[in-house]
Amino acid sequence: MERYNAKVVEPKWQKAWEDAQTFMAERDAREKYYVLEMFPYPSGRIHMGHVRNYTMGDVVARYKSARGFNVLHPMGWDAFGMPAENAAMEKKVHPGDWTYQNIADMRDQLKPMGLSIDWSREFATCDPEYYGQQQSMFIDMMEAGLVYRKNAVVNWDPVDMTVLANEQVIDGKGWRSGAPVERKELTQWFFRISDYSEELLTAIDDLKGWPEKVRLMQQNWIGRSQGLRFAFEMTGAPDGFGGLEVYTTRPDTLFGASFAAISCDHPLAKALEDNPEIAAFNAECRKTGTSEEDLEKAEKKGFDTGIVVTHPFHPDWQLPVYIANFILMGYGTGAIFGCPAHDQRDLDFARKYGLTVTPVVCPEDADADSFTIGDEAYVGPGRMINSRFLDGKTIEDAKTEVTKRIAEMKAGSAETQYRLRDWGVSRQRYWGCPIPVVHCPSCGVVPEKKENLPVVLPKDVSFDTPGNPLDRHPTWRNVACPKCGADALRETDTMDTFVDSSWYFARFTAPRAETPTVMEEAEYWMNVDQYIGGIEHAILHLLYSRFFARAMQKTGHLPEKAIEPFNALFTQGMVTHETYSTKGKDGRPVWRTPDEVRLEDGTARLIETGEAVDIGPVIKMSKSKKNVVDPEDIIDQYGADTARWFVMSDSPPERDVEWTASGAEAAWKHLQRVWRLTAEAVEKGDLAGDALEAEALLKATHKCIDEVTNGIEGFAFNKSVAALYQFTNTIAKSDAPNSDIKDALQTLAVLMQPMTPHLAEEVWAAMDGAGLVANAEWPTADPKLLVDDEIVLPIQINGKRRDEIRVAADASKDDIEALALKNLVVQKALDGGNPKKVIVVPGRIINVVV
RNA sequence: GCGGGCGUGAUGGAAUGGUAGACAUACCGGACUUAAAAUCCGGAGGCCUUAGCGCCGUGCGGGUUCAAGUCCCGCCGCCCGCACCA
């Protein structure tokens, strides 16, 4: 008997699918189903994370297709971004050439996986046909008032004279130059996503197909808070500054205030920079990175400006105004009052600068007179104390009272704030979608005429010097103003790559159209029924896409039904691997790839030299730790089905999966076994067998159908795989007539098709299945075959399992109880007495309480 | 720092509040073989001078319940995101 040879079989069926155009999607009368995996960045090689992601999507796509849906399952490339420019600098290649070569390489690696993708819809975001449509929408969004310009801060490398991404700032220094990074203000383009804060927040409730954790993360990110905005009277500030406006979510703690603090970027802080000490302090604050993490982790520092503000409810009570490094200019008013007793950051600050700490909220179970604050701020519920007219009130009542009085004094009012900031899309880089506007000396900022789109990136650029090549391009910048025709300059900023990925799912519905979308196509194919990708995109990408769907609807590019573009979302886990290292000369570990290492009895050695290798923790596959297994090697060695089967087995899809050589081997063995059973069944012809076994096999078949179906529907592919293992074992051991074995194998082929499509075709063909198994209908489990006549019920005594009894499946509660009480173990436990209680859960358990 | 998640045998994991460890890996034993590989069959959570109708067991400590891996409260550890990485 011949072994199953994936190298021959897999290309054969891939060609058969291609010839039959099996996965081409066109509108028809059937109900549609749109499956989408987050499209890849063309880094140059497919990695195991891709294999897992696209296999999951493929399982869903093939399954839904078998269930009779008209499936759309496309693929494209998120092709703009920094790595191409880095490659350009390091390898002297053009970012476009580098990117398109990578796409070609990755497509070649992806196709042998046998994914049921409609490749006719493929595009890359760096295709002018794509980004030109994006520019067109940008102009529409400008006209709809969704785009504006304002100053914003960037990381500036003073040596390389270039803007740095947060990622390129390491310990406050530029990653190439090593120079301390400065903050610099530039005029930049923004989308008004914050106009949609409330809507993006409330609509989360309707995202029923999304994981609860992602919905929570989005809610917290948008971060609605109810608070009070009010102005302190201020003394000692420079001319032009009236009061100090602050925003607080805890107006109830106003009598616990001991200072006010402003951000170093606050206008008042800037106005005080005539004082060299303040200028120096602000400069020091600005050395911290621009990320929220850097700001909040930095040690609390403040500078007492000498300015004071007056407590709104007491004219003699004055609070010092500090400039502090933990106040964010981007949230609220960039100024706060500090109540150290009930906010940890304020408490740390107060302890450091010797400010008073007065508790104003007392927990219900504490004594108001002796309640004090130690190293931890009290943020729980309680009653107001030390707060004059608020004393005895609850926090909620106190908030209402303070807000009311402040409003009566006309000093401020209640305000809802959101943490969500507008989306800055300007990037001072070449390899991105050019922002299609022109700066005219007389007309100002003018959108490019639509007939002049796409504004194509010039090809003749150099990356010898840092900075944006578009800025120094000799001719590309110089254009006539679209409005008046005078000499003008093109905008040289390009768009954030998140813009590219915020609407690609819509473009897949009409990828070659000369408008961004085509309404009737979008009407049919939208929404994405199942979106699959990494949890790392839980906030930004998904939120931006939700905003874009709204913006596209407003500008007439998407139908109303697509306001929430993703009906269901699944976030898959990572692919991990052990790490291997040997000791380098300087004592630091030298990372080794799994290829270089031989594993024996839990120890590892270098294949080449026999040197001992340390086995490190199991972490996400990464180039830097070299713990990567190249999918191409696995497909080469075992075939795509083995790789697909492995990444679907064992670990639940939402959790990390550890790639192990033995696991891959085991997957391969299983697929061989399925083929061996098939070949045996073919040889046996119409060999007779046991009729009772035939019935048992039929029951096993339907149990498997049920479990595989539930597994796929519930995104628990590992359980589907387990059911298929079990079913295969049953077939192997069955003495049923060979015709029944063949029926079982045919069903097995259909059930395995989503995961191992090539083997499934081969088995299907050997069992004389009609046409391609890729077009076969999904079987339905017969409920009558899923139940057994007799079941085994465990008997517990006082909640501990002691014995089991066999009862008819349809036995009544009373019958079961009577039977259980006759049980010897129960009799002994009762010791002649009566049970206190007997709990019978039919089909589940009996618990006798004695 | 803030937000989110995860934690079950040697390992990956299974378990509508109802027999903890399905299925698989690694391991051990057996069959076949001159031998090995492959294949097939079987074993197996831990503990024990008591091998049982025994005791313990789902990161740790409490609680609710006839019954807790599952629900509640408090910890510990690890992972992800934090707005210019994609």
mmCIF file of all heavy atoms in Angstrom, chain A residues 319-341:
data_model
loop_
_atom_site.group_PDB
_atom_site.id
_atom_site.type_symbol
_atom_site.label_atom_id
_atom_site.label_comp_id
_atom_site.label_asym_id
_atom_site.label_seq_id
_atom_site.Cartn_x
_atom_site.Cartn_y
_atom_site.Cartn_z
ATOM 1 N N LEU A 319 -4.931 77.317 47.549
ATOM 2 C CA LEU A 319 -4.202 76.104 47.171
ATOM 3 C C LEU A 319 -3.047 76.475 46.247
ATOM 4 O O LEU A 319 -3.231 77.293 45.338
ATOM 5 C CB LEU A 319 -5.110 75.131 46.418
ATOM 6 C CG LEU A 319 -6.428 74.721 47.080
ATOM 7 C CD1 LEU A 319 -7.304 73.988 46.071
ATOM 8 C CD2 LEU A 319 -6.147 73.838 48.284
ATOM 9 N N PRO A 320 -1.859 75.893 46.473
ATOM 10 C CA PRO A 320 -0.734 76.189 45.576
ATOM 11 C C PRO A 320 -0.946 75.540 44.199
ATOM 12 O O PRO A 320 -1.537 74.477 44.111
ATOM 13 C CB PRO A 320 0.464 75.559 46.294
ATOM 14 C CG PRO A 320 -0.121 74.467 47.123
ATOM 15 C CD PRO A 320 -1.493 74.921 47.521
ATOM 16 N N VAL A 321 -0.449 76.202 43.161
ATOM 17 C CA VAL A 321 -0.526 75.636 41.810
ATOM 18 C C VAL A 321 0.844 75.092 41.411
ATOM 19 O O VAL A 321 1.826 75.831 41.380
ATOM 20 C CB VAL A 321 -0.991 76.702 40.786
ATOM 21 C CG1 VAL A 321 -0.978 76.103 39.378
ATOM 22 C CG2 VAL A 321 -2.379 77.213 41.143
ATOM 23 N N TYR A 322 0.873 73.799 41.135
ATOM 24 C CA TYR A 322 2.113 73.148 40.704
ATOM 25 C C TYR A 322 2.047 72.871 39.204
ATOM 26 O O TYR A 322 0.970 72.709 38.626
ATOM 27 C CB TYR A 322 2.280 71.792 41.398
ATOM 28 C CG TYR A 322 2.784 71.871 42.817
ATOM 29 C CD1 TYR A 322 1.915 72.245 43.852
ATOM 30 C CD2 TYR A 322 4.101 71.564 43.130
ATOM 31 C CE1 TYR A 322 2.363 72.305 45.156
ATOM 32 C CE2 TYR A 322 4.560 71.621 44.438
ATOM 33 C CZ TYR A 322 3.695 71.999 45.452
ATOM 34 O OH TYR A 322 4.140 72.051 46.739
ATOM 35 N N ILE A 323 3.215 72.794 38.594
ATOM 36 C CA ILE A 323 3.306 72.141 37.291
ATOM 37 C C ILE A 323 3.731 70.714 37.603
ATOM 38 O O ILE A 323 4.669 70.507 38.388
ATOM 39 C CB ILE A 323 4.363 72.812 36.382
ATOM 40 C CG1 ILE A 323 4.000 74.286 36.157
ATOM 41 C CG2 ILE A 323 4.458 72.076 35.045
ATOM 42 C CD1 ILE A 323 5.109 75.088 35.479
ATOM 43 N N ALA A 324 3.008 69.738 37.073
ATOM 44 C CA ALA A 324 3.316 68.358 37.448
ATOM 45 C C ALA A 324 3.403 67.477 36.214
ATOM 46 O O ALA A 324 2.686 67.681 35.235
ATOM 47 C CB ALA A 324 2.252 67.812 38.401
ATOM 48 N N ASN A 325 4.304 66.488 36.288
ATOM 49 C CA ASN A 325 4.576 65.678 35.090
ATOM 50 C C ASN A 325 3.545 64.569 34.865
ATOM 51 O O ASN A 325 3.611 63.870 33.875
ATOM 52 C CB ASN A 325 5.993 65.092 35.145
ATOM 53 C CG ASN A 325 6.160 64.104 36.285
ATOM 54 O OD1 ASN A 325 5.333 64.055 37.193
ATOM 55 N ND2 ASN A 325 7.221 63.333 36.223
ATOM 56 N N PHE A 326 2.612 64.392 35.790
ATOM 57 C CA PHE A 326 1.639 63.325 35.569
ATOM 58 C C PHE A 326 0.292 63.842 35.075
ATOM 59 O O PHE A 326 -0.671 63.076 34.973
ATOM 60 C CB PHE A 326 1.474 62.465 36.828
ATOM 61 C CG PHE A 326 0.916 63.201 38.026
ATOM 62 C CD1 PHE A 326 -0.427 63.126 38.333
ATOM 63 C CD2 PHE A 326 1.749 63.956 38.830
ATOM 64 C CE1 PHE A 326 -0.937 63.794 39.433
ATOM 65 C CE2 PHE A 326 1.232 64.624 39.935
ATOM 66 C CZ PHE A 326 -0.104 64.556 40.238
ATOM 67 N N ILE A 327 0.224 65.130 34.783
ATOM 68 C CA ILE A 327 -1.025 65.687 34.250
ATOM 69 C C ILE A 327 -0.955 65.648 32.716
ATOM 70 O O ILE A 327 0.005 66.112 32.111
ATOM 71 C CB ILE A 327 -1.234 67.145 34.709
ATOM 72 C CG1 ILE A 327 -1.035 67.276 36.217
ATOM 73 C CG2 ILE A 327 -2.615 67.641 34.269
ATOM 74 C CD1 ILE A 327 -1.995 66.448 37.038
ATOM 75 N N LEU A 328 -1.989 65.050 32.102
ATOM 76 C CA LEU A 328 -2.014 64.942 30.643
ATOM 77 C C LEU A 328 -2.748 66.123 30.036
ATOM 78 O O LEU A 328 -3.879 66.409 30.394
ATOM 79 C CB LEU A 328 -2.745 63.648 30.243
ATOM 80 C CG LEU A 328 -2.189 62.343 30.798
ATOM 81 C CD1 LEU A 328 -3.143 61.200 30.530
ATOM 82 C CD2 LEU A 328 -0.818 62.056 30.220
ATOM 83 N N MET A 329 -2.062 66.812 29.124
ATOM 84 C CA MET A 329 -2.692 67.964 28.470
ATOM 85 C C MET A 329 -3.872 67.510 27.615
ATOM 86 O O MET A 329 -4.822 68.247 27.408
ATOM 87 C CB MET A 329 -1.655 68.698 27.609
ATOM 88 C CG MET A 329 -2.125 70.069 27.132
ATOM 89 S SD MET A 329 -2.599 71.178 28.489
ATOM 90 C CE MET A 329 -4.050 71.961 27.791
ATOM 91 N N GLY A 330 -3.813 66.283 27.146
ATOM 92 C CA GLY A 330 -4.841 65.806 26.213
ATOM 93 C C GLY A 330 -6.146 65.399 26.857
ATOM 94 O O GLY A 330 -7.107 65.079 26.161
ATOM 95 N N TYR A 331 -6.223 65.385 28.172
ATOM 96 C CA TYR A 331 -7.453 64.939 28.815
ATOM 97 C C TYR A 331 -8.016 66.055 29.680
ATOM 98 O O TYR A 331 -7.281 66.718 30.410
ATOM 99 C CB TYR A 331 -7.199 63.704 29.679
ATOM 100 C CG TYR A 331 -8.459 63.165 30.303
ATOM 101 C CD1 TYR A 331 -9.403 62.505 29.514
ATOM 102 C CD2 TYR A 331 -8.732 63.358 31.650
ATOM 103 C CE1 TYR A 331 -10.581 62.043 30.080
ATOM 104 C CE2 TYR A 331 -9.903 62.892 32.214
ATOM 105 C CZ TYR A 331 -10.826 62.234 31.427
ATOM 106 O OH TYR A 331 -11.990 61.779 31.978
ATOM 107 N N GLY A 332 -9.324 66.273 29.608
ATOM 108 C CA GLY A 332 -9.947 67.336 30.394
ATOM 109 C C GLY A 332 -9.394 68.681 29.974
ATOM 110 O O GLY A 332 -9.302 68.976 28.791
ATOM 111 N N THR A 333 -8.969 69.483 30.966
ATOM 112 C CA THR A 333 -8.475 70.820 30.645
ATOM 113 C C THR A 333 -6.959 70.895 30.797
ATOM 114 O O THR A 333 -6.377 71.959 30.659
ATOM 115 C CB THR A 333 -9.095 71.851 31.609
ATOM 116 O OG1 THR A 333 -8.726 71.501 32.946
ATOM 117 C CG2 THR A 333 -10.617 71.860 31.488
ATOM 118 N N GLY A 334 -6.336 69.765 31.127
ATOM 119 C CA GLY A 334 -4.888 69.779 31.364
ATOM 120 C C GLY A 334 -4.560 70.340 32.729
ATOM 121 O O GLY A 334 -3.417 70.675 33.001
ATOM 122 N N ALA A 335 -5.588 70.459 33.579
ATOM 123 C CA ALA A 335 -5.373 70.981 34.934
ATOM 124 C C ALA A 335 -6.324 70.270 35.892
ATOM 125 O O ALA A 335 -7.433 69.908 35.510
ATOM 126 C CB ALA A 335 -5.634 72.490 34.976
ATOM 127 N N ILE A 336 -5.865 70.044 37.114
ATOM 128 C CA ILE A 336 -6.685 69.334 38.096
ATOM 129 C C ILE A 336 -6.582 70.009 39.449
ATOM 130 O O ILE A 336 -5.715 70.859 39.657
ATOM 131 C CB ILE A 336 -6.199 67.874 38.290
ATOM 132 C CG1 ILE A 336 -4.745 67.869 38.775
ATOM 133 C CG2 ILE A 336 -6.344 67.071 37.000
ATOM 134 C CD1 ILE A 336 -4.416 66.795 39.763
ATOM 135 N N PHE A 337 -7.491 69.624 40.372
ATOM 136 C CA PHE A 337 -7.160 69.879 41.772
ATOM 137 C C PHE A 337 -6.834 68.528 42.371
ATOM 138 O O PHE A 337 -7.398 67.504 41.973
ATOM 139 C CB PHE A 337 -8.292 70.610 42.522
ATOM 140 C CG PHE A 337 -9.483 69.767 42.868
ATOM 141 C CD1 PHE A 337 -9.465 68.912 43.964
ATOM 142 C CD2 PHE A 337 -10.651 69.849 42.099
ATOM 143 C CE1 PHE A 337 -10.569 68.144 44.274
ATOM 144 C CE2 PHE A 337 -11.743 69.078 42.414
ATOM 145 C CZ PHE A 337 -11.708 68.211 43.513
ATOM 146 N N GLY A 338 -5.882 68.499 43.295
ATOM 147 C CA GLY A 338 -5.444 67.235 43.858
ATOM 148 C C GLY A 338 -6.099 66.981 45.202
ATOM 149 O O GLY A 338 -6.112 67.849 46.075
ATOM 150 N N CYS A 339 -6.697 65.787 45.341
ATOM 151 C CA CYS A 339 -7.227 65.378 46.632
ATOM 152 C C CYS A 339 -6.481 64.109 47.033
ATOM 153 O O CYS A 339 -6.871 63.005 46.668
ATOM 154 C CB CYS A 339 -8.721 65.113 46.551
ATOM 155 S SG CYS A 339 -9.341 64.428 48.106
ATOM 156 N N PRO A 340 -5.394 64.256 47.767
ATOM 157 C CA PRO A 340 -4.479 63.131 48.014
ATOM 158 C C PRO A 340 -5.132 61.960 48.741
ATOM 159 O O PRO A 340 -4.740 60.819 48.525
ATOM 160 C CB PRO A 340 -3.383 63.746 48.882
ATOM 161 C CG PRO A 340 -3.524 65.211 48.720
ATOM 162 C CD PRO A 340 -4.948 65.497 48.399
ATOM 163 N N ALA A 341 -6.102 62.234 49.598
ATOM 164 C CA ALA A 341 -6.665 61.143 50.394
ATOM 165 C C ALA A 341 -7.375 60.109 49.530
ATOM 166 O O ALA A 341 -7.496 58.949 49.903
ATOM 167 C CB ALA A 341 -7.625 61.698 51.442
#
